[in-house]
Amino acid sequence: MPFTDVKGVRTFYEEYGDPKSNKHVLFIHGLGDSSLTWSDIPDALSKYFHTIIVDLIGFGESDKPEKADYYTIKGFSKFIVDFLERIGIKEDKEQHNNKKISIVGYSLGGHIAA
């Protein structure tokens, strides 16, 4: 299982397709769920996109810290930004390299994506 450290939080995620692509799709699960909910969709889309699934902080295989401000929409959104930067998906202002990402979410994941 692939994990990464996001600001001290052990985070589960999986990637499909070419990470060097400029077309990325991140899938965010809903409340009380995990990345497993996306089943084979990310793999099926990996012919066209670099796809990523992640267990939000406090869900699935990711750490479940007690710090309450992690478990707000603002906290989850910050976590997603930090996660994407950690795996190398960020804007490089010096190179003018805007890596585009589409975010697919439902329930809590949809609220975070918005």
Side-chain angles (χ1 to χ4, degrees):
M1 285 191 214
F3 288 90
T4 191
D5 181 276
V6 179
K7 307 269 177 155
V9 176
R10 186 173 177 254
T11 304
F12 173 81
Y13 75 104
E14 289 184 331
E15 297 179 272
Y16 304 86
D18 182 6
K20 294 180 182 173
S21 169
N22 282 331
K23 294 188 271 182
H24 309 277
V25 180
L26 173 67
F27 294 87
I28 305 176
H29 62 80
L31 184 64
D33 214 338
S34 75
S35 60
L36 293 176
T37 195
W38 295 108
S39 188
D40 57 354
I41 296 169
D43 189 33
L45 290 176
S46 68
K47 293 182 207 176
Y48 312 101
F49 306 97
H50 169 232
T51 60
I52 308 141
I53 58 173
V54 62
D55 282 343
L56 290 169
I57 189 170
F59 293 90
E61 298 296 320
S62 291
D63 281 350
K64 296 156 185 63
E66 292 182 22
K67 191 174 176 185
D69 54 333
Y70 281 129
Y71 303 107
T72 64
I73 297 303
K74 185 177 180 179
F76 285 125
S77 297
K78 174 76 171 115
F79 170 77
I80 290 297
V81 169
D82 292 341
F83 166 73
L84 290 171
E85 287 181 359
R86 178 74 173 114
I87 65 168
I89 300 174
K90 61 184 175 180
E91 180 180 13
D92 185 345
K93 293 179 182 176
E94 291 179 14
Q95 301 272 331
H96 304 288
N97 179 12
N98 295 317
K99 291 189 174 181
K100 302 205 181 219
I101 186 160
S102 297
I103 301 176
V104 178
Y106 75 92
S107 182
L108 174 64
H111 198 78
I112 295 165

